[in-house]
Amino acid sequence: MNEKTESVNTAACGKTSMSIGVCYFPEHWPEDRWESDIEAMADCGIEYVRMGEFAWSRFEPEPGQYDTAWLERVVDLIGDHGMKAVLCTPTATPPKWLVDRYPEIRQTERDGTVREWGSRRHYCFNSETYRQETERIVTELADRFAQNPTVVGWQTDNEYGVHGTLRCYCDNCSAAFGEWLREKYGDVETLNETWGTDFWSQHHTSFDEIEAPGHTPTDHHPSRLLDYYRFTSDRVRDYNRLQADVLREANEEWFVTHNFMFDFTELDAFDVGSDLDFASWDVYPTGFAQSKPESEQTAADLRIGDLAQTALHHDLYRNAADGPFWIMEQQPGSINWPPTTSQPAEGAMRLWAHHAVAHGCDVVSYFRWRRCQQGQEQYHSGLRRADGAPDRGYHDAAWAADEFEELAVGERAQPDPSVAAVFDYESHWALEKVDMGPTFDYASHFATVYEALRGRSVGVDIVPRDADFRAYDAVVVPALHVLDDEAADRLAAFVRDGGSLLTTARTGEKTPGNQLHPTAPGPLADLVGATVDNHESHATDTLETTVEYDGDTFEYHTWGEWLSPDAAAVVGKHRGGVGDGRPAITHRSVGDGSVTYLGVWPDEALADAVVTDVLAAGGVEHLDSPLPDRVQVAERDGLTWVFNYGAHAVETDLPAGDIVVGDATVPAYDLTVFEGAATDITVEES
Ligand SMILES: [Zn+2]
């Protein structure tokens, strides 16, 4: 343990201008412990205490018999200690009596398996009964706390879609899907035409006959699937809106948020975010890193997580709603749910809190206050141990809170990037099942381009396709697979007005109905000045995957296109193999701006080379050379953080006078903060 940690361990951390919070489950502890817990929270500078998640069976032990007095006593204690309460609707865990009374609220998996009561998230979003029960319990709770000055806002439900629970295949969902399609298409022949149902005898005669796409011998019709994925996301948005409306009706001053999660691509966060005051998300870096294939996981991943994964989600959820974002659950130490339970590196919990704040987070709330002795999460640590003594996360949280006060981060404006990256859920859904490239994962392809931007110290807003691009100098649009005229026109206007646009392989292949455009990139072909002549996927490295770009050779993988330019200049060509000499990358000046089309899935070096040229074309400041692996830089209102998620120290060229936290040498799993811009720095491996 280093010296600074020890110095904080010995003292309460005091109040901070940056808010920190904690998730507390008073129902897990005897009442005579509540006051000492809450006193200790206040001593640590905690401002927000989140509660009530999963507590339906305590709020309503029997049908219609409500008991919220216990939580009112806790809320009062929190208020007495100068803190604020954030309450949660308990709808992620309908109690046993409710499931027994209405068994039709349970979810059904694609193969017909019913998800039984006994864990969580077992309800169907399309059960009208469950929607009525939701409205009833949320109304009851909202009314009981509407006049309580300590309660400042609500979290709806918990992590919509965790455990793969967004998409359900029950009879409720089949009926609701048919109605959703009727609403969308009006008459069934329009649906037949939009989907293209002459294939394999899939013509529909009525909306009533259309079911949720259950288990079949081979692939479902891709258009049916895409609409089903749209439908499931839409219906969760509606379900969330139901809750938000009830809460705002009770007290219009309350904020309403939802805690999203890592890699939750089945739910359109921008869509749900439109009904929230701000988005929040739950950050568990050592767990997320284990989503990678085991062969790709490093010791650093297991100690601190993957830097780019965490940064990307900060930038996504910062833009998912109008407000700034919160971390509703910050990993406090070791956690129970990944395949392996590693101990985070020394200081990791402090590093993660800084990382969120540097990306614009307003409140870092740790999950949970105390390690729990009962139930499914006994092996999940807390800021405090099960016996109440401080654990590793407590010391890190206190350390970070001290530093946030010194840095006055709570008074700093949000990051203001000049680059946007379009994340398109519909394209992700359309690419989930594709014959032409089983390894083409939209989110990974997006991350390749995103990481190249971050590698040059460039801040990024992750935005939907209908964002206002006029606020940016450069926009990157990886694999905008589903493309209509409206989106293409907006991107063309951005370029003509002086923007620098990068779009990549598989853009504009599909219509909104998920049929092929006659040529790719579909309605963007005129702007790009080229079409895709042919393409191939690469499941392995067997085929030749070399391109020449700007006089150098690079590798690509997974996907390659042969381009056929008309108005565009060829700036990259395939080298070797059957495609030798064919165009792979084009560039074209249009109006006051330019557009680059990258027709392969680039390796890291090619992504860096192309992205750097796109930044230069847009006049975006960036580093002259890329940052080392596992190092990123983030700027917020005059302060810049250097994060080292690597197992070895890195060297910066920062003058001592500019540094406000740390040192010019950034140790492994550590950080440095300086006054200045993200491009005022060079970083090299030691
Ligand atoms: Zn269902």
Side-chain angles (χ1 to χ4, degrees):
M1 184 175 290
N2 65 39
E3 201 174 305
K4 189 152 191 179
T5 309
E6 284 177 345
S7 72
V8 175
N9 289 350
T10 57
C13 56
K15 291 291 180 188
T16 170
S17 55
M18 165 68 195
S19 293
I20 61 172
V22 76
C23 304
Y24 185 46
F25 297 85
E27 67 272 27
H28 297 167
W29 305 101
E31 185 164 350
D32 60 10
R33 278 192 180 173
W34 293 349
E35 183 150 16
S36 59
D37 274 347
I38 288 164
E39 239 175 56
M41 292 174 201
D43 285 347
C44 179
I46 283 169
E47 190 173 353
Y48 294 97
V49 184
R50 188 200 72 169
M51 297 177 297
E53 198 184 41
F54 310 129
W56 194 332
S57 69
R58 286 291 295 262
F59 293 138
E60 192 182 12
E62 293 181 48
Q65 294 189 9
Y66 301 104
D67 176 11
T68 53
W70 61 276
L71 187 60
E72 288 165 39
R73 287 196 292 279
V74 181
V75 167
D76 287 345
L77 279 171
I78 287 167
D80 291 346
H81 287 80
M83 298 183 289
K84 300 161 191 161
V86 178
L87 299 185
C88 309
T89 64
T91 46
T93 46
K96 184 70 162 68
W97 61 258
L98 186 64
V99 176
D100 285 347
R101 180 177 277 196
Y102 307 112
E104 71 274 19
I105 69 170
R106 295 170 301 171
Q107 281 203 343
T108 300
E109 295 179 14
R110 194 169 189 170
D111 67 357
T113 304
V114 173
R115 289 180 161 153
E116 302 290 354
W117 179 90
S119 63
R120 61 179 184 174
R121 300 228 56 84
H122 39 285
Y123 71 86
C124 169
F125 288 104
N126 288 302
S127 161
E128 284 306 320
T129 303
Y130 196 63
R131 287 183 178 226
Q132 288 163 14
E133 289 297 296
T134 294
E135 189 168 359
R136 184 180 60 77
I137 189 68
V138 175
T139 302
E140 190 68 33
L141 292 174
D143 286 348
R144 284 169 183 244
F145 289 95
Q147 305 304 319
N148 192 313
T150 301
V151 177
V152 292
W154 287 75
Q155 170 193 303
T156 53
D157 203 281
N158 172 71
E159 296 175 355
Y160 292 131
V162 71
H163 318 307
T165 54
L166 202 83
R167 295 171 186 167
C168 173
Y169 299 86
C170 76
D171 291 344
N172 294 323
C173 286
S174 283
F177 184 38
E179 285 309 307
W180 184 90
L181 291 168
R182 192 193 308 276
E183 180 97 358
K184 177 172 181 173
Y185 292 107
D187 69 274
V188 76
E189 284 311 320
T190 304
L191 175 146
N192 282 312
E193 191 179 328
T194 306
W195 285 8
T197 52
D198 292 323
F199 194 83
W200 285 357
S201 200
Q202 294 179 82
H203 183 266
H204 286 294
T205 56
S206 137
F207 290 109
D208 297 334
E209 71 179 34
I210 303 176
E211 298 167 332
H215 192 64
T216 48
T218 185
D219 302 338
H220 264 285
H221 193 296
S223 307
R224 180 182 307 125
L225 285 181
L226 178 56
D227 263 344
Y228 194 68
Y229 298 159
R230 288 179 174 126
F231 156 76
T232 47
S233 182
D234 268 11
R235 294 293 287 169
V236 177
R237 178 206 59 205
D238 292 349
Y239 178 77
N240 181 72
R241 183 177 292 163
L242 182 161
Q243 297 208 11
D245 287 350
V246 170
L247 294 167
R248 291 190 174 114
E249 175 75 26
N251 184 337
E252 61 182 14
E253 299 295 315
W254 280 338
F255 67 72
V256 178
T257 187
H258 176 73
N259 56 334
F260 296 95
M261 240 285 213
F262 166 77
D263 206 17
F264 269 25
T265 49
E266 293 181 355
L267 178 63
D268 187 328
F270 300 118
D271 211 9
V272 177
S274 67
D275 291 318
L276 303 175
D277 291 288
F278 57 85
S280 53
W281 79 288
D282 299 345
V283 184
Y284 295 93
T286 67
F288 304 154
Q290 293 182 53
S291 66
K292 297 196 261 190
E294 205 170 333
S295 60
E296 294 175 19
Q297 294 170 25
T298 64
D301 282 332
L302 299 176
R303 292 293 179 216
I304 198 87
D306 183 300
L307 168 60
Q309 285 179 337
T310 305
L312 189 157
H313 285 77
H314 287 327
D315 286 340
L316 170 64
Y317 293 126
R318 183 182 67 247
N319 290 285
D322 281 341
F325 74 107
W326 283 27
I327 303 304
M328 195 56 91
E329 299 182 11
Q330 175 64 66
Q331 180 175 343
S334 61
I335 50 178
N336 68 303
W337 52 263
T340 57
T341 305
S342 49
Q343 276 296 334
E346 199 62 49
M349 285 64 80
R350 167 208 178 225
L351 179 70
W352 295 328
H354 271 277
H355 198 176
V357 166
H359 280 255
C361 176
D362 261 10
V363 174
V364 176
S365 170
Y366 292 87
F367 183 92
R368 57 180 63 218
W369 175 247
R370 283 175 91 130
R371 180 171 175 173
C372 188
Q373 291 169 267
Q374 58 177 283
Q376 277 94 325
E377 296 179 348
Q378 296 172 29
Y379 289 88
H380 193 298
S381 62
L383 294 184
R384 298 281 180 141
R385 300 173 192 273
D387 66 4
D391 204 348
R392 301 180 68 217
Y394 177 84
H395 303 307
D396 278 9
W399 183 5
D402 257 3
E403 290 174 327
F404 294 152
E405 184 171 24
E406 287 170 22
L407 298 173
V409 291
E411 296 157 20
R412 293 186 184 270
Q414 288 289 299
D416 185 24
S418 58
V419 177
V422 173
F423 189 92
D424 188 59
Y425 286 91
E426 291 199 355
S427 293
H428 192 297
W429 300 334
L431 282 162
E432 278 187 34
K433 176 71 191 77
V434 280
D435 295 332
M436 272 300 296
T439 57
F440 197 103
D441 175 64
Y442 173 88
S444 299
H445 182 74
F446 178 92
T448 300
V449 179
Y450 170 83
E451 287 174 37
L453 292 165
R454 278 279 173 202
R456 291 280 178 162
S457 271
V458 172
V460 184
D461 276 342
I462 297 179
V463 299
R465 65 163 68 194
D466 59 356
D468 184 357
F469 299 132
R470 291 173 299 181
Y472 304 101
D473 296 323
V475 172
V476 301
V477 186
L480 190 60
H481 191 60
V482 177
L483 189 57
D484 57 9
D485 291 342
E486 185 186 348
D489 290 347
R490 298 181 74 257
L491 291 169
F494 167 72
V495 172
R496 279 196 299 272
D497 291 347
S500 176
L501 175 70
L502 169 67
T503 186
T504 72
R506 312 214 64 174
T507 290
E509 279 183 16
K510 294 297 191 81
T511 67
N514 212 7
Q515 297 196 48
L516 278 177
H517 282 297
T519 55
L524 214 51
D526 283 347
L527 179 73
V528 169
T531 54
V532 177
D533 175 52
N534 243 314
H535 49 64
E536 64 179 4
S537 57
H538 299 257
T540 68
D541 294 332
T542 311
L543 300 172
E544 307 83 1
T545 53
T546 302
V547 294
E548 182 183 318
Y549 176 70
D550 203 18
D552 292 318
T553 56
F554 299 91
E555 293 299 309
Y556 69 92
H557 59 90
T558 306
W559 188 264
E561 294 171 352
W562 303 346
L563 306 181
S564 178
D566 46 57
V570 176
V571 293
K573 289 184 175 180
H574 291 274
R575 286 293 175 225
V578 66
D580 186 47
R582 292 179 183 273
I585 308 168
T586 63
H587 180 79
R588 184 185 179 212
S589 295
V590 181
D592 295 329
S594 63
V595 54
T596 300
Y597 186 91
L598 172 60
V600 298
W601 186 325
D603 72 355
E604 201 175 312
L606 179 58
D608 174 68
V610 172
V611 157
T612 303
D613 288 342
V614 170
L615 293 171
V620 179
E621 279 199 59
H622 56 280
L623 294 183
D624 292 337
S625 55
L627 294 164
D629 275 351
R630 303 186 69 84
V631 173
Q632 278 188 13
V633 172
E635 180 179 339
R636 178 177 180 181
D637 195 16
L639 277 187
T640 296
W641 281 255
V642 185
F643 296 106
N644 181 10
Y645 273 58
H648 305 285
V650 295
E651 301 291 338
T652 72
D653 61 347
L654 293 170
D658 291 350
I659 296 173
V660 288
V661 173
D663 195 25
T665 300
V666 189
Y669 313 136
D670 211 327
L671 62 101
T672 289
V673 188
F674 66 95
E675 288 177 340
T679 48
D680 295 345
I681 188 174
T682 62
V683 188
E684 293 178 350
E685 290 171 10
S686 296

